[in-house]
Amino acid sequence: MKLALVKMLCVRGLQRLKAALYLHRSSTHRSLTSAAALQKDDAPMKAETPSKEPRRGCVLCSVTVDFKNVQLLSQFISPHTGRIYGRHITGLCGRKQKEISKAIKKAHSLGFMPVTHKHPQFMTDPRICGIKHLD
Amino acid sequence: MPRYELALILKAMQRPETAAALRRTVETLMERGAVVRDLENLGQRLLPYKMTKHNQRHSTGAYFLVDFYAAPSILDGLLDHLHRDVDVVRPAVLRKDERAPDSSCCGPPP
């Protein structure tokens, strides 16, 4: 029993000595490496991703929508029925789609734009919406 | 005072009668304390659909646009007056927004 205790104490003492020695050694070691690391500066540098695409806007991004501009509004309705095309057909962003829709309804009620058809004057206008008609 | 826009559709009439109707309208506006800023003629055109007003069926009309500054309290009375005018087919008063267009729209900045 006594022998075992003595042995443990000795071992413990040795361990403590070792720990103290190692600490001392690693701190000096650390100071040397840290100075060198600062000079290298291999932290990742900030750069823009090269594969970033430029922001594309919808067709009406820089265009003000007005209920009086019947020609513009007529480009987003069906020529046969006068129905307003949905977002998946016009390709407009949320805000502009809402503006167009509201302007068309306003023009209908104020007597500026026909409801059930497209004005024949605007039938030959360029097609913005991605819908193919049979004719 | 907030800024309003009167989209007016008048009956298809001869020039002196149209002028008289417009004069009447603008004078009504000024009587009620509005400041008329601009009067635009959008031309006489075929109406998009036939409209019935004052027991008359209209197929053509003269479109006018009146810009004015007014107190909001006069609008009700003004619209009532315009509806009762025999020469007016369809009056509509709209608020004009003076906000600058939002730059947060989708797409690249101009």
Side-chain angles (χ1 to χ4, degrees), chain A residues 7-135:
Chain A
K7 254 191 187 174
M8 261 179 65
L9 282 165
C10 287
V11 165
R12 279 288 163 78
L14 270 168
Q15 278 177 349
R16 279 188 193 136
L17 256 172
K18 271 187 190 172
L21 278 167
Y22 281 145
L23 263 171
H24 180 68
R25 219 184 279 173
S26 60
S27 64
T28 50
H29 197 64
R30 211 185 290 151
S31 62
L32 278 167
T33 48
S34 58
L38 275 168
Q39 281 164 13
K40 260 190 214 170
D41 191 26
D42 59 348
M45 58 175 198
K46 287 194 177 171
E48 245 190 51
T49 39
S51 58
K52 192 172 182 184
E53 281 173 25
R55 276 193 93 176
R56 282 179 301 132
C58 64
V59 193
L60 299 182
C61 252
S62 44
V63 174
T64 41
V65 173
D66 200 10
F67 73 92
K68 292 165 270 192
N69 190 353
V70 181
Q71 188 155 24
L72 174 70
L73 299 178
S74 297
Q75 286 184 301
F76 298 98
I77 60 167
S78 164
H80 309 297
T81 52
R83 296 194 73 185
I84 308 174
Y85 287 138
R87 207 163 302 194
H88 59 291
I89 301 175
T90 60
L92 296 171
C93 69
R95 181 202 294 226
K96 285 295 169 183
Q97 175 73 23
K98 196 82 187 179
E99 276 183 31
I100 285 273
S101 190
K102 286 269 183 194
I104 290 173
K105 289 182 187 167
K106 197 182 266 189
H108 284 166
S109 87
L110 298 181
F112 278 78
M113 191 161 127
V115 184
T116 44
H117 61 280
K118 194 197 267 201
H119 200 287
Q121 193 182 5
F122 306 136
M123 285 290 198
T124 47
D125 283 347
R127 285 187 185 171
I128 300 177
C129 301
I131 192 166
K132 288 185 187 134
H133 296 288
L134 289 168
D135 55 359

Side-chain angles (χ1 to χ4, degrees), chain B residues 5-110:
Chain B
E5 203 172 47
L6 170 64
L8 199 62
I9 307 181
L10 290 179
K11 196 167 81 173
M13 298 176 286
Q14 299 297 318
R15 205 182 158 88
E17 283 146 15
T18 317
L22 276 173
R23 195 194 178 83
R24 224 185 308 137
T25 311
V26 173
E27 271 173 4
T28 317
L29 271 171
M30 298 208 294
E31 268 171 44
R32 285 158 202 262
V35 178
V36 178
R37 182 196 160 103
D38 199 14
L39 174 60
E40 265 176 54
N41 182 2
L42 304 171
Q44 184 169 333
R45 342 167 177 167
L46 201 68
L47 294 175
Y49 42 86
K50 291 205 183 114
M51 298 178 197
T52 310
K53 193 86 178 172
H54 305 292
N55 284 318
Q56 271 184 317
R57 200 105 161 108
H58 302 274
S59 323
T60 51
Y63 287 74
F64 291 95
L65 215 58
V66 187
D67 251 344
F68 61 96
Y69 291 104
S73 50
I74 64 156
L75 296 177
D76 264 341
L78 176 74
L79 264 174
D80 188 57
H81 180 274
L82 287 167
H83 276 297
R84 285 174 207 277
D85 194 337
V86 190
D87 289 333
V88 169
V89 175
R90 195 163 287 196
V93 178
L94 305 150
R95 176 109 190 229
K96 225 178 174 155
D97 269 329
E98 273 144 11
R99 266 181 289 141
D102 285 334
S103 57
S104 56
C105 191
C106 65

